[in-house]
Amino acid sequence: KRHRDNMYSGNTINKDGHSALTKYFFGANANKKLTLEDFVVFMDGLKEDVFRMEFEKYGPEGGRITEEDFAHLLLLHATLSAQAKQKFIRRVKKAYKKKEKSTDCDSALIPLL
């Protein structure tokens, strides 16, 4: 056993050969079938968790972020050029000169889900 092969490094193989996701989706004995509905529910929950973590990076006060932060959040995974993203941010800054935190997490997530 090497020094980097410990349970915290992710380099070890589970003795029974089943990962936590395998057990979750297919059961401890891998005899359960995964349905599309179960997979969609799992993916929706995963997306919401990721979006909430990304929202929290902007340090919401009272559960709210600025419009500029919201624009950055929207552009995080956008397939736009850096120049187009900057143009978008400039337009948002111009439209919302006050730095109020007025976008809450739930209204920010609705269009993303």
Side-chain angles (χ1 to χ4, degrees):
K1 184 173 178 174
R2 297 173 294 185
H3 72 280
R4 65 178 178 248
D5 291 340
N6 62 54
M7 63 186 227
Y8 302 109
S9 69
N11 285 339
T12 60
I13 296 175
N14 195 336
K15 299 264 188 260
D16 62 8
H18 298 296
S19 69
L21 278 178
T22 301
K23 287 179 183 177
Y24 176 81
F25 287 131
F26 303 106
N29 298 324
N31 57 357
K32 185 177 139 190
K33 292 204 182 237
L34 175 64
T35 65
L36 177 60
E37 183 179 331
D38 289 343
F39 184 69
V40 168
V41 167
F42 172 80
M43 289 303 293
D44 286 344
L46 182 62
K47 283 192 299 187
E48 184 171 345
D49 289 346
V50 169
F51 290 144
R52 283 192 184 278
M53 286 187 286
E54 289 172 348
F55 185 88
E56 291 296 323
K57 286 192 313 187
Y58 292 98
E61 293 173 14
R64 297 181 177 276
I65 60 174
T66 66
E67 284 82 359
E68 184 181 343
D69 289 341
F70 180 63
H72 284 286
L73 185 64
L74 289 177
L75 294 173
L76 196 59
H77 300 287
T79 55
L80 298 172
S81 67
Q83 184 179 8
K85 288 180 182 182
Q86 285 297 357
K87 185 177 179 182
F88 183 78
I89 296 297
R90 279 195 304 272
R91 289 189 355 234
V92 169
K93 283 181 180 179
K94 185 176 178 183
Y96 299 97
K97 292 185 191 247
K98 292 187 279 181
K99 295 277 187 182
E100 289 181 12
K101 295 197 174 202
S102 59
T103 304
D104 63 51
C105 186
D106 289 332
S107 62
L109 291 178
I110 289 171
L112 301 175
L113 296 177

